[in-house]
Amino acid sequence: ALDFMEYKPRFLDKDMLGKRLSEMGRLGVKSIMYAGEGEPFLHKDIADIIAHTKKAGIDVAVTTNGVFFDKRLADKTLSKLTWIKVSINAAAKKTYAKIHRSRPQDFYRVIRNMSYAAKLRRNKGYKCTLGMQIILLPENYREIPLLAKKAKDIGMDYLVVKPYSQHPLSKTTRYKDIKYSQYLNLAQRLVKFDDKKFNVVFRI
């Protein structure tokens, strides 16, 4: 939610998409990621769409903000997903609300949802990879080690730290001139979280 580009609330038609997914599976499409300029878990039929995608022989992945990936959705979809990556741009509720322009309590919802997903995966033996991603910004760089710890503690497989990318249609230009050289020492501080079950990917 860093950029506001006057998106309109458009949703894919489930029946039409189902026909196309079956067709794509027959044609040899190997994988689909539901993501992009919109939140996949806002679609009321997303659980059915994920199930249909998998049934068509196509691997399914989701990039999400994690707020709506609650227990109900996790129970319905986790067994069918290859991976989920959650965009979470802070490790404290106030910073989260400021950057995501959302309610502070949404931060706790994301942590709770992904913690449940990790426990469900462990208990059921699912293979879905669970990860988080943070965009490195002046407002959140001090919190990145804390987010790495939280992600590891709740059972995520990885945390990606990535630079901000200026969208050409964005109305926001606040971060377009960030100089990342001052944050490079952060990568060395994050190495301590790496082990056989968790790693931090620091993209320069």
Side-chain angles (χ1 to χ4, degrees), residues 3-10 37 167 169-172:
D3 296 313
F4 288 88
M5 293 185 279
E6 298 180 351
Y7 294 127
K8 293 182 171 67
R10 298 180 180 131
E37 296 170 353
H167 194 294
L169 297 180
S170 175
K171 294 178 179 293
T172 303

Side-chain angles (χ1 to χ4, degrees), residues 10-23:
R10 298 180 180 131
F11 292 87
L12 292 169
D13 179 80
K14 184 183 79 167
D15 295 332
M16 177 62 74
L17 180 60
K19 291 175 184 175
R20 296 290 76 81
L21 287 168
S22 297
E23 182 180 36

Side-chain angles (χ1 to χ4, degrees), residues 151-169:
K152 185 173 184 176
D153 287 348
I154 67 170
M156 298 295 98
D157 298 305
Y158 66 85
L159 172 68
V160 173
V161 182
K162 64 175 284 189
Y164 176 79
S165 177
Q166 181 66 37
H167 194 294
L169 297 180

Side-chain angles (χ1 to χ4, degrees), residues 6-53:
E6 298 180 351
Y7 294 127
K8 293 182 171 67
R10 298 180 180 131
F11 292 87
L12 292 169
D13 179 80
K14 184 183 79 167
D15 295 332
M16 177 62 74
L17 180 60
K19 291 175 184 175
R20 296 290 76 81
L21 287 168
S22 297
E23 182 180 36
M24 285 187 276
R26 290 192 300 272
L27 291 171
V29 171
K30 300 299 183 188
S31 62
I32 288 178
M33 175 179 66
Y34 293 111
E37 296 170 353
E39 168 51 47
F41 289 122
L42 276 176
H43 197 299
K44 66 183 176 62
D45 297 314
I46 190 62
D48 292 337
I49 290 169
I50 288 169
H52 195 115
T53 307

